[in-house]
Amino acid sequence: MRYTYLGPAGTFTESALLSVPGADSAERIPATSVPNALERLALGEVDAAMVPIENSVEGGVSATLDAISASEGVRIIREVLVPIRFVLVAKPGTRMEDIRTISTHTHAWAQVRGWAEETLPQVDYLPGSSTAGAAVGLLDNERPGYEAAICSPALLEYHPELQVLADNIGDNKNAVTRFVLLSRTADIPEPTGADKTTLTVPLPADHAGALTALLEQFSVRGVNLSRIESRPTGEKMGSYAFSIDADAHIYEARMRDALRGLHRVAPEIKFLGSYPRADHQSTAPSAIHSDEAFAAAHAWVESLFPNGRPAALRR
Amino acid sequence: MRYTYLGPAGTFTESALLSVPGADSAERIPATSVPNALERLALGEVDAAMVPIENSVEGGVSATLDAISASEGVRIIREVLVPIRFVLVAKPGTRMEDIRTISTHTHAWAQVRGWAEETLPQVDYLPGSSTAGAAVGLLDNERPGYEAAICSPALLEYHPELQVLADNIGDNKNAVTRFVLLSRTADIPEPTGADKTTLTVPLPADHAGALTALLEQFSVRGVNLSRIESRPTGEKMGSYAFSIDADAHIYEARMRDALRGLHRVAPEIKFLGSYPRADHQSTAPSAIHSDEAFAAAHAWVESLFPNGRPAALRR
Amino acid sequence: MRYTYLGPAGTFTESALLSVPGADSAERIPATSVPNALERLALGEVDAAMVPIENSVEGGVSATLDAISASEGVRIIREVLVPIRFVLVAKPGTRMEDIRTISTHTHAWAQVRGWAEETLPQVDYLPGSSTAGAAVGLLDNERPGYEAAICSPALLEYHPELQVLADNIGDNKNAVTRFVLLSRTADIPEPTGADKTTLTVPLPADHAGALTALLEQFSVRGVNLSRIESRPTGEKMGSYAFSIDADAHIYEARMRDALRGLHRVAPEIKFLGSYPRADHQSTAPSAIHSDEAFAAAHAWVESLFPNGRPAALRR
Amino acid sequence: MRYTYLGPAGTFTESALLSVPGADSAERIPATSVPNALERLALGEVDAAMVPIENSVEGGVSATLDAISASEGVRIIREVLVPIRFVLVAKPGTRMEDIRTISTHTHAWAQVRGWAEETLPQVDYLPGSSTAGAAVGLLDNERPGYEAAICSPALLEYHPELQVLADNIGDNKNAVTRFVLLSRTADIPEPTGADKTTLTVPLPADHAGALTALLEQFSVRGVNLSRIESRPTGEKMGSYAFSIDADAHIYEARMRDALRGLHRVAPEIKFLGSYPRADHQSTAPSAIHSDEAFAAAHAWVESLFPNGRPAALRR
């Protein structure tokens, strides 16, 4: 197996990838962006790609949601939850009072802003392309334009020469980021009883009640949603696609039935995969939405045609 | 073909039966009650039975709704709408001022009460087992206990000796009664584009929101309802079965899908037939609920399993 | 207090009336029909009227539902549940094998039909205007046209000379009939925490989804329904009014709010009273639908207008 | 009037502010971030603040949505739509082939990425704190680390010395950004018949069906939604607040009624203002949701208490 991930090495995304059995001994190619990771996957350069999809503080990772939705033939086969812990790093010898400017990824900065305003109120912020990139820049550049960076402690394994000036500086100590492992494969992971299905559902613009119609397709089959994010389709203001995690596996009849219902109201729907929940929380259906109930309902309708149905009605 | 109908001859039900092509030259056996008609049908004495099911003024015919729901193997194959016109009849020589008591069926009396109170305010009412029975009683009995009866003008063809004292005396001149033709056959009439499906759906008692859940199964598939009647199940106060006419044919995918959904929330559901609407009003679905949309949705879900689905998931 | 009730004396309705504190010593005037009882009430001849409204086996009493809905200024102030027990009575000396014809009210006949078919399969049925009327006819008429009647055991107190040939012959031993006490008063009984509100809600014909819109007005305020009956409006086939019992009192904010919502979708709505449930089952709302939650919501919206609202917006 | 806006001068936000009548001659203080702008507003340094809230391509501006939701006493009083047009600028004398690295704001980069990959496939991207900041850096710094920047053409009025290398390079030529003008005032702009109300509605975590319950509060009062964005509350994964634009004004009865309903299911709801729609699209209600319908419904419920309501029920 060859993997790519949103690099460089030492990011939270690499930590997520390393939690996948076998990944620590596999080839791991850092990608420069989420679209770049997806491109490597599409070209067959790698077998799977790990990318961040949702942060408990910052919300959906727009770049990932949009890139996955725009791609073809990509499936989520696993999710990973990584607790987020930030460290402030600098070149050896740097003192807190030397810091004029800090660099890190925008999402990371948003999560340490409270700490920064209290601890280093005079400091400026310079956006970095990644947490690891900002930190490594301290070592690589003669004059990087900043004196400190905020990154994952995982980076210290690659760059032990970095000096930690402050640890665990996130404003929300319970922050978690969710990552997904993408593959090209059409083989869907087996259901475990604690599963998710990820969908992108573009809604026709200006159709009042369209969101309610969409949600009904789930509720009428007893499928709960654990995530719903709105993303603009880019076509016009007010036109949205909803990125949804539904608490069921496509091997369950209720999920397939919901997908058929969704396809009717939103034919551009994309199925992005069914896979086990990282938190193992059971998603078992109630009796009326079980596979048995669906099978009994199907059998009953067939029994209404004891002489068989005309060929045109086989479905 | 042999028919039975809610008799005796000369009732509105016989008029409904006579509107069926060929029925005027077929054998027509009057039944003494709706359960009696259904029994003759079940025993194979007749091929079809015509019974009243709904009156535009008096509402659902409880006896019919309950008898059909309780029966097995019975299907509605046709509906007939008959405009209701009442006449006041008596023995020849009777004058309006001679009338002390009027007899007719309770439903008929309810529909002429306004006229009676205005025209014959002092008159008493005596319940009769049918409109025709009450009228014929005037001729058969020496002392029937009443001087006049209210019946259908159709009875006059059988008993021209009856004298009409007043015509078209219904309080609501637009009153219509709906009759259904029942058979044992499993062959469902072909869809016409203007069809109905009749169902009995018992709801679990005391399940708040159960009626809404039931209605959702229709609305989420774009199936309108043209009639909904509540009937007690007899088990306990507050436990209902709903008698429903849905504007779609079981040969339509949306109707079969709704039936499957209904079966899950109400496994005791009964399918009583799909048949053409008497008023020929189109029941065509909108595009997202068409057979094509259901077929496309089905094909899409299948396409998500390019390597085929495990045998257990064929449904 | 003077009362009327659906007579004659010895019916189940009189038993219901006698359960009202003080009614046994009050004046009790039998009415010949439900409309007659309502007329006596409207004319001020009596202070209250007891009428049957729902039978656990036979369903809603159409005559009562329609008469109440058509009346003005009438309020339900109490409900009474009476277990239904039927006896077969005849003139002294009559034997079972002497019976050729049985008379009783149609509703009663429907509830003993199973027993009759098994015990007296050859017997004919003659409709009677009431259970008591049929039984008394055995004594009053020389040749009533039937040999036995089915009535309430309560009639035996008035006519101990009647001979009981069979007791407790109802097909459903748990049958219960619900009666309501009507008055002209505008004073609403105090809430008890176990209350009902009765409404008649006519729906615009042919408005697909109108029933769902109606039900939503209740569910969105956490008000459960314990009864829903459809009645034709009489205007045209397919046009219904729904007779509804909602599990809340008009003194509760959620019920008043639901009434306002219902009035918007069905301006012809009629409020027929709030009164204690006969079964004392608690109807307490959940926290989000409590009076406190409504008051807090109201106060919050007012707080958004710290400078006061324009006069036009006082509501 | 003194204004602040997401600076520096020459950004799209300043263009939005300049469209406000009188703003071109008023004091305009650039803010370094959305929270900084809100802080200036809260401290009374300025009377109003213009910030971006939604991009038709990139979606909701998370920083703004979160900052507004977290603030107290802030109201949206106006919205402005600005068509987005990007230019590629550099120091005079720069040629396309000289460009190795481009800097701009992340949101801007996301909107020109397609053009960049096609036109300058070898170029690197360096995040900038704003479009204007990146462009001005070309002039201010000796060695800014990049040769070109992407910004609004509005910046050229401030820095005519910048050379435009390419114009109108956005991938989506119809891209629009929506900005809102915030104030501390409690005075709500008068309704125009084409209005919006902006809300933040935090939902209890893990409450299946909570989103549907929320949407119902709007639909049952005939209020459409033109925007719905999910934002994590930061408390735990799966806990969301919804940022919503509803097509009605708080001076309309249906909107106030919806707010009361929302407060019951989501007591932490925040009202962020009612204001005219920038596109002037009518938001007039249908008859059953008009102020008149609400007033009639209110009057009807009051009429049910002819003797007045107990003091406890005044609401």
Side-chain angles (χ1 to χ4, degrees):
Chain A
M1 287 284 283
R2 281 172 310 165
Y3 293 96
T4 189
Y5 64 99
L6 180 59
T11 57
F12 291 103
T13 312
E14 194 196 31
S15 298
L17 177 56
L18 288 170
S19 77
V20 176
D24 55 353
S25 57
E27 187 178 355
R28 302 190 302 275
I29 306 167
T32 57
S33 66
V34 174
N36 176 245
L38 285 169
E39 193 181 359
R40 288 177 186 274
L41 182 62
L43 293 174
E45 293 178 20
V46 296
D47 302 300
M50 183 69 79
V51 293
I53 195 168
E54 185 187 18
N55 180 279
S56 68
V57 174
E58 273 298 280
V61 180
S62 305
T64 302
L65 294 172
D66 293 354
I68 295 181
S69 296
S71 67
E72 290 295 333
V74 157
R75 290 274 175 85
I76 301 173
I77 55 173
R78 176 187 282 262
E79 70 167 0
V80 176
L81 294 173
V82 175
I84 297 302
R85 185 174 135 212
F86 293 106
V87 291
L88 180 76
V89 297
K91 272 208 272 201
T94 310
R95 293 165 307 171
M96 287 292 268
E97 54 266 36
D98 298 334
I99 305 175
R100 297 284 165 273
T101 302
I102 294 177
S103 184
T104 192
H105 190 269
T106 310
H107 276 199
W109 183 246
Q111 296 185 59
V112 300
R113 185 190 291 274
W115 173 86
E117 279 173 8
E118 193 173 351
T119 316
L120 298 163
Q122 307 303 334
V123 119
D124 282 334
Y125 165 61
L126 183 73
S129 58
S130 73
T131 54
V136 171
L138 290 166
L139 306 172
D140 288 0
N141 290 13
E142 192 71 20
R143 306 180 74 191
Y146 52 96
E147 295 78 35
I150 289 164
C151 65
S152 162
L155 186 69
L156 301 170
E157 296 187 22
Y158 290 91
H159 296 285
E161 66 272 37
L162 281 169
Q163 178 190 358
V164 175
L165 291 178
D167 192 4
N168 201 11
I169 62 177
D171 296 331
N172 186 323
K173 304 305 182 202
N174 301 316
V176 172
T177 292
R178 194 160 77 91
F179 298 84
V180 289
L181 188 64
L182 303 166
S183 87
R184 286 181 315 279
T185 178
D187 289 333
I188 296 167
E190 291 283 313
T192 65
D195 305 285
K196 273 184 187 173
T197 293
T198 297
L199 306 168
T200 301
V201 191
L203 282 195
D206 299 331
H207 180 256
L211 177 56
T212 301
L214 182 162
L215 295 174
E216 252 182 3
Q217 299 291 341
F218 293 102
S219 63
V220 87
R221 281 98 175 179
V223 177
N224 287 329
L225 306 187
S226 52
R227 184 181 61 88
I228 178 165
E229 307 248 356
S230 53
R231 293 294 307 148
T233 61
E235 284 162 28
K236 55 175 287 192
M237 188 69 85
S239 170
Y240 298 102
F242 285 87
S243 175
I244 287 173
D245 288 351
D247 287 353
H249 192 284
I250 194 175
Y251 276 26
E252 292 178 72
R254 60 176 173 152
M255 191 70 230
R256 289 197 303 283
D257 208 46
L259 287 176
R260 286 189 281 261
L262 288 163
H263 188 274
R264 290 189 292 111
V265 299
E268 301 301 314
I269 184 174
K270 277 199 166 181
F271 169 77
L272 297 175
S274 288
Y275 49 92
R277 286 174 70 106
D279 63 7
H280 305 300
Q281 276 187 26
S282 168
T283 53
S286 64
I288 66 169
H289 302 304
S290 65
D291 281 6
E292 292 70 29
F294 274 90
H298 181 80
W300 173 68
V301 171
E302 294 309 303
S303 77
L304 302 176
F305 298 89
N307 302 335
R309 286 203 256 158
L313 303 181
R314 282 294 130 74
R315 181 67 353 241
Chain B
M1 286 284 284
R2 282 173 308 164
Y3 293 97
T4 189
Y5 64 98
L6 180 59
T11 57
F12 292 103
T13 312
E14 194 196 31
S15 298
L17 177 55
L18 289 170
S19 77
V20 176
D24 54 354
S25 58
E27 187 177 356
R28 300 190 303 276
I29 305 167
T32 58
S33 67
V34 173
N36 176 245
L38 285 169
E39 194 181 0
R40 288 176 186 275
L41 182 63
L43 293 174
E45 292 178 19
V46 296
D47 301 301
M50 182 70 78
V51 293
I53 195 167
E54 185 186 18
N55 181 278
S56 68
V57 174
E58 273 298 279
V61 180
S62 305
T64 302
L65 294 172
D66 293 354
I68 296 181
S69 296
S71 67
E72 290 294 334
V74 157
R75 290 275 174 86
I76 301 173
I77 55 173
R78 175 187 281 264
E79 69 168 0
V80 176
L81 294 173
V82 175
I84 297 303
R85 185 173 133 212
F86 293 107
V87 291
L88 180 75
V89 297
K91 270 207 273 201
T94 310
R95 293 164 307 172
M96 287 292 268
E97 54 266 37
D98 298 333
I99 305 176
R100 298 283 165 275
T101 302
I102 295 177
S103 183
T104 192
H105 190 269
T106 310
H107 275 200
W109 183 246
Q111 296 186 57
V112 300
R113 185 189 291 274
W115 172 87
E117 279 173 8
E118 194 175 349
T119 316
L120 296 164
Q122 307 302 335
V123 120
D124 281 333
Y125 166 61
L126 183 72
S129 58
S130 73
T131 54
V136 171
L138 289 166
L139 305 173
D140 289 1
N141 289 12
E142 193 70 20
R143 307 179 76 189
Y146 53 96
E147 294 79 35
I150 289 164
C151 65
S152 162
L155 186 69
L156 300 171
E157 296 188 25
Y158 291 91
H159 295 286
E161 65 273 37
L162 281 169
Q163 178 190 357
V164 175
L165 291 179
D167 192 5
N168 200 13
I169 63 176
D171 296 331
N172 186 324
K173 304 306 182 201
N174 301 317
V176 173
T177 291
R178 193 159 77 91
F179 299 84
V180 289
L181 188 64
L182 303 166
S183 87
R184 286 181 316 278
T185 178
D187 288 331
I188 295 166
E190 291 283 313
T192 65
D195 304 286
K196 274 184 187 173
T197 294
T198 297
L199 306 168
T200 300
V201 190
L203 282 194
D206 298 331
H207 179 258
L211 178 55
T212 302
L214 182 163
L215 295 174
E216 253 182 4
Q217 299 291 342
F218 292 101
S219 62
V220 86
R221 281 99 174 178
V223 177
N224 287 330
L225 306 187
S226 52
R227 183 181 61 87
I228 178 163
E229 306 247 358
S230 53
R231 294 294 307 148
T233 61
E235 284 162 29
K236 55 174 287 193
M237 189 69 86
S239 170
Y240 297 102
F242 285 87
S243 175
I244 287 173
D245 288 351
D247 288 352
H249 192 286
I250 194 174
Y251 277 26
E252 292 178 72
R254 60 176 173 153
M255 190 70 231
R256 289 197 302 284
D257 208 46
L259 288 176
R260 286 190 280 261
L262 288 164
H263 188 273
R264 290 190 291 110
V265 299
E268 300 303 315
I269 184 173
K270 277 200 166 180
F271 169 77
L272 298 175
S274 288
Y275 50 92
R277 286 174 69 106
D279 63 6
H280 304 301
Q281 276 188 26
S282 168
T283 53
S286 64
I288 65 169
H289 302 303
S290 65
D291 281 6
E292 291 70 29
F294 275 89
H298 181 80
W300 173 68
V301 171
E302 293 309 302
S303 77
L304 303 175
F305 298 90
N307 303 335
R309 286 203 255 156
L313 302 181
R314 282 294 130 75
R315 179 73 351 245
Chain C
M1 286 285 284
R2 282 173 308 167
Y3 293 97
T4 189
Y5 63 98
L6 180 59
T11 56
F12 292 103
T13 312
E14 193 197 30
S15 298
L17 177 56
L18 288 170
S19 78
V20 176
D24 54 354
S25 57
E27 188 179 352
R28 302 189 303 275
I29 305 168
T32 56
S33 67
V34 173
N36 176 245
L38 286 169
E39 193 181 358
R40 287 177 188 274
L41 182 62
L43 293 174
E45 292 178 18
V46 296
D47 301 303
M50 182 69 79
V51 294
I53 195 167
E54 185 185 16
N55 181 279
S56 68
V57 175
E58 272 298 279
V61 179
S62 305
T64 301
L65 294 172
D66 294 354
I68 295 181
S69 295
S71 67
E72 290 295 333
V74 158
R75 291 273 174 85
I76 301 174
I77 55 173
R78 176 186 281 262
E79 70 167 0
V80 176
L81 294 173
V82 175
I84 298 302
R85 186 174 134 212
F86 293 106
V87 291
L88 179 75
V89 296
K91 271 208 273 200
T94 311
R95 292 165 308 172
M96 286 295 266
E97 53 267 36
D98 299 333
I99 304 176
R100 297 284 165 273
T101 303
I102 294 177
S103 183
T104 193
H105 189 268
T106 311
H107 275 199
W109 184 246
Q111 297 185 58
V112 300
R113 184 189 292 274
W115 172 86
E117 279 172 8
E118 193 173 351
T119 315
L120 297 165
Q122 308 302 334
V123 120
D124 282 333
Y125 166 60
L126 183 72
S129 58
S130 73
T131 53
V136 171
L138 290 166
L139 305 174
D140 289 359
N141 290 11
E142 193 70 20
R143 307 181 72 190
Y146 52 95
E147 294 76 36
I150 288 163
C151 64
S152 161
L155 187 69
L156 300 172
E157 296 188 23
Y158 291 90
H159 296 285
E161 66 271 36
L162 282 168
Q163 180 191 356
V164 174
L165 291 177
D167 191 5
N168 201 11
I169 62 177
D171 296 332
N172 185 324
K173 305 305 183 202
N174 301 316
V176 173
T177 291
R178 193 160 76 92
F179 298 85
V180 289
L181 187 64
L182 304 166
S183 87
R184 287 180 315 278
T185 178
D187 289 332
I188 295 167
E190 292 283 312
T192 65
D195 304 284
K196 272 183 186 173
T197 294
T198 297
L199 306 168
T200 301
V201 191
L203 282 193
D206 299 331
H207 180 258
L211 178 56
T212 302
L214 182 162
L215 295 174
E216 251 181 5
Q217 299 292 343
F218 292 101
S219 64
V220 87
R221 279 99 175 180
V223 176
N224 288 330
L225 305 187
S226 52
R227 184 181 59 87
I228 178 164
E229 306 248 355
S230 53
R231 295 292 306 147
T233 61
E235 284 162 27
K236 54 174 288 191
M237 190 68 86
S239 169
Y240 297 102
F242 285 87
S243 175
I244 287 173
D245 288 350
D247 288 351
H249 192 286
I250 195 176
Y251 276 27
E252 292 179 71
R254 61 177 172 151
M255 191 69 231
R256 288 196 304 283
D257 208 45
L259 288 175
R260 285 189 282 261
L262 289 163
H263 188 274
R264 289 189 292 110
V265 299
E268 301 301 314
I269 185 175
K270 276 200 170 183
F271 169 76
L272 297 175
S274 288
Y275 49 91
R277 286 174 69 105
D279 63 7
H280 304 301
Q281 276 188 24
S282 170
T283 53
S286 64
I288 66 168
H289 302 303
S290 64
D291 281 6
E292 291 69 29
F294 274 89
H298 181 81
W300 174 68
V301 171
E302 293 308 303
S303 77
L304 303 175
F305 297 89
N307 303 335
R309 287 202 256 156
L313 301 182
R314 283 294 132 73
R315 180 68 356 244
Chain D
M1 287 285 284
R2 283 172 310 168
Y3 294 97
T4 188
Y5 63 98
L6 181 59
T11 56
F12 292 104
T13 312
E14 194 196 31
S15 297
L17 177 56
L18 289 170
S19 77
V20 176
D24 54 353
S25 58
E27 187 178 354
R28 302 190 303 276
I29 306 167
T32 57
S33 66
V34 174
N36 176 244
L38 285 170
E39 193 181 1
R40 288 177 187 274
L41 182 62
L43 294 174
E45 292 179 19
V46 296
D47 302 301
M50 182 68 79
V51 294
I53 195 167
E54 186 185 18
N55 181 280
S56 68
V57 175
E58 273 297 281
V61 180
S62 305
T64 301
L65 293 172
D66 295 353
I68 295 181
S69 295
S71 68
E72 289 296 334
V74 157
R75 289 273 173 86
I76 301 174
I77 54 173
R78 176 187 280 264
E79 70 168 359
V80 176
L81 294 173
V82 175
I84 298 301
R85 186 173 135 213
F86 292 106
V87 292
L88 180 74
V89 296
K91 270 207 275 201
T94 311
R95 293 166 308 172
M96 286 294 266
E97 53 266 35
D98 299 333
I99 304 176
R100 297 284 165 277
T101 302
I102 294 177
S103 183
T104 192
H105 190 269
T106 311
H107 275 200
W109 184 246
Q111 297 185 58
V112 301
R113 185 189 291 274
W115 171 87
E117 279 173 8
E118 193 174 350
T119 315
L120 297 164
Q122 307 303 334
V123 119
D124 282 334
Y125 166 61
L126 184 72
S129 58
S130 73
T131 54
V136 171
L138 289 166
L139 305 173
D140 289 359
N141 290 13
E142 193 69 20
R143 309 179 73 189
Y146 54 95
E147 295 77 36
I150 288 163
C151 64
S152 162
L155 187 70
L156 302 171
E157 296 188 23
Y158 291 91
H159 297 285
E161 66 271 37
L162 282 169
Q163 178 190 357
V164 175
L165 290 177
D167 191 5
N168 201 11
I169 61 177
D171 296 332
N172 185 325
K173 304 305 182 202
N174 301 316
V176 172
T177 291
R178 192 160 77 91
F179 298 84
V180 289
L181 187 64
L182 303 166
S183 87
R184 286 181 316 278
T185 178
D187 289 332
I188 296 167
E190 291 283 312
T192 66
D195 304 285
K196 272 184 186 173
T197 293
T198 297
L199 305 167
T200 300
V201 190
L203 281 194
D206 298 332
H207 179 258
L211 178 55
T212 301
L214 183 162
L215 295 174
E216 251 182 4
Q217 299 291 342
F218 292 102
S219 63
V220 87
R221 280 99 175 180
V223 176
N224 288 330
L225 305 187
S226 52
R227 183 180 60 87
I228 179 165
E229 306 247 356
S230 54
R231 294 294 306 147
T233 61
E235 285 162 26
K236 55 174 288 191
M237 190 68 87
S239 169
Y240 297 102
F242 285 87
S243 175
I244 288 173
D245 288 349
D247 287 352
H249 192 285
I250 195 174
Y251 277 26
E252 291 179 71
R254 61 177 172 152
M255 191 69 231
R256 288 196 304 282
D257 208 46
L259 288 175
R260 285 189 281 261
L262 289 163
H263 188 274
R264 289 190 293 111
V265 300
E268 301 302 314
I269 185 175
K270 276 199 170 183
F271 169 77
L272 297 174
S274 288
Y275 50 92
R277 286 174 69 105
D279 63 6
H280 305 301
Q281 276 187 26
S282 170
T283 54
S286 65
I288 65 168
H289 302 304
S290 65
D291 281 5
E292 291 70 28
F294 275 89
H298 181 80
W300 173 68
V301 171
E302 294 308 304
S303 77
L304 302 175
F305 297 90
N307 303 334
R309 287 203 255 156
L313 303 181
R314 283 293 131 75
R315 179 71 355 245

